[in-house]
């Protein structure tokens, strides 16, 4: 069974002979570069090293070796609100945990994306008959409430595959929410953002808050937390097409 799928950078006409995908079973390796070894992925660009790197499939995850002398490679998680790791020159077998990853190769002013999918995952099975008290949820969110739709609207651009997309302004969020929440206004959306900041403990509630500067970057903090801990997933964007119950304001 294949555990890793590698999608090469978009190709110019001279690259048309290369394959659209490379599928690696556990233990298999794929070299890439301007002149890779064996049946590797050839990237025709003067700014890419002859032997730029190597990908190794390891079942539920994969390893990246950076064989260049000077370039640092960045591995992005397109679904993780800017989450990334850096693999420095000469680093061998750096483990990459992301399900969907984008290796960014700097090449003479260009940034070449090499996409890697790791669809094979192992999961523990939880016995439905476990004894004892249930564990309290880390974050208590009701996906049918208005505040969750506000959070989904803020997360939407980055969940659509643009990890560095600017967050919607409050006015843009209002416009996005109006089809399912006709009474949405700047004040009501901002109220729900403030409510979420307290609910997710990014700031104290008004009854316990001490005098001092207000929390800046509330939207960025909310989106970062939501995407890092999967509080909002791509599937949750369906709430932006459904009528909303009362919740927040």
């Amino acid at each position: 069974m294949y555990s890793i799928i590698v999608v090469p950078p978009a190709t110019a006409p001279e690259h048309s002979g290369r394959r659209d995908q490379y599928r690696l079973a556990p233990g298999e390796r794929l070299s890439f570069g301007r002149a890779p070894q064996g049946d590797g992925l050839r990237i025709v660009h003067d700014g890419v090293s002859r032997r730029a790197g190597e990908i190794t499939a390891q079942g539920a995850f994969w390893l990246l070796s950076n064989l260049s002398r000077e370039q640092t490679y960045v591995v992005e998680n397109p679904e993780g609100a800017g989450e990334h790791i850096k693999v420095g020159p000469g680093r061998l077998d750096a483990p990459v945990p992301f399900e969907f990853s984008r290796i960014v190769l700097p090449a003479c002013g260009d940034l070449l994306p090499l996409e890697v999918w790791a669809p094979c995952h192992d999961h523990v099975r939880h016995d439905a008959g476990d004894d004892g008290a249930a564990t309290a949820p880390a974050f208590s969110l009701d996906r049918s409430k208005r505040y969750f739709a506000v959070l989904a609207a803020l997360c939407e651009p980055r969940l659509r595959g643009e990890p560095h997309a600017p967050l919607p302004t409050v006015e843009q969020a209002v416009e996005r929410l109006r089809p399912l929440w006709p009474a949405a206004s700047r004040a009501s959306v901002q109220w729900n953002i403030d409510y979420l900041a307290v609910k997710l403990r990014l700031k104290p509630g008004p009854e316990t808050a001490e005098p001092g500067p207000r929390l800046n970057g509330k939207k960025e903090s909310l989106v970062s937390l939501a995407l890092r801990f999967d509080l909002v997933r791509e599937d949750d964007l369906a709430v932006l097409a459904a009528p909303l119950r009362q919740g927040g304001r």
Side-chain angles (χ1 to χ4, degrees):
M1 177 177 178
Y2 297 115
S3 64
I4 303 295
I5 301 171
V6 182
V7 181
T11 59
E14 65 265 29
H15 307 178
S16 58
R18 68 97 177 104
R19 297 195 307 221
D20 290 332
Q21 292 184 353
Y22 292 77
R23 295 173 177 262
L24 308 179
E28 291 185 339
R29 295 172 177 264
L30 173 69
S31 62
F32 60 90
R34 206 167 73 247
Q37 287 185 326
D39 188 26
L41 166 58
R42 184 167 176 255
I43 302 175
V44 183
H45 195 295
D46 290 342
V48 175
S49 300
R50 290 188 294 276
R51 292 185 61 209
E54 189 173 70
I55 294 168
T56 305
Q58 290 288 338
F61 69 102
W62 54 283
L63 306 173
L64 174 63
S65 293
N66 181 349
L67 304 180
S68 72
R69 293 183 179 181
E70 298 180 356
Q71 299 291 355
T72 293
Y73 299 159
V74 174
V75 185
E76 298 176 339
N77 175 7
E79 302 170 320
E83 185 180 18
H84 69 277
I85 62 174
K86 296 190 292 185
V87 181
R91 170 71 191 274
L92 298 177
D93 294 335
V96 180
F98 309 141
E99 250 179 74
F100 170 40
S101 307
R102 180 183 296 125
I103 306 172
V104 181
L105 306 177
C108 293
D110 294 324
L111 296 176
L112 305 180
L114 187 63
E115 295 181 350
V116 182
W117 296 78
C120 177
H121 296 281
D122 299 323
H123 297 277
V124 66
R125 287 191 176 184
H126 292 287
D127 191 348
D130 286 345
D131 295 328
T135 303
F139 304 98
S140 180
L141 294 175
D142 186 337
R143 284 165 166 73
S144 68
K145 298 293 184 70
R146 288 176 179 171
Y147 66 75
F148 187 82
V150 171
L151 185 58
L154 296 178
C155 293
E156 184 177 29
R158 296 185 183 180
L159 282 172
R160 297 293 189 193
E162 301 179 49
H164 305 297
L167 298 185
T169 64
V170 173
E171 289 78 9
Q172 289 170 331
V174 170
E175 291 304 312
R176 181 70 180 90
L177 293 163
R178 276 233 171 98
L180 53 149
W181 180 13
S185 66
R186 191 184 194 289
S188 59
V189 169
Q190 185 62 59
W191 189 95
N192 278 276
I193 291 172
D194 291 337
Y195 175 79
L196 282 162
V198 173
K199 186 174 183 64
L200 297 178
R201 300 185 181 180
L202 295 175
K203 61 174 285 189
E207 67 283 356
T208 59
E210 297 180 0
R214 298 179 61 187
L215 173 67
N216 292 321
K218 270 183 289 195
K219 290 191 300 177
E220 188 68 49
S221 297
L222 284 169
V223 169
S224 178
L225 181 73
L227 297 184
R228 279 189 292 130
F229 289 98
D230 286 338
L231 307 186
V232 182
R233 304 169 186 261
E234 189 171 358
D235 292 348
D236 290 321
L237 297 181
V239 303
L240 298 176
L244 296 175
R245 283 168 42 192
Q246 289 286 340
R249 176 171 165 178

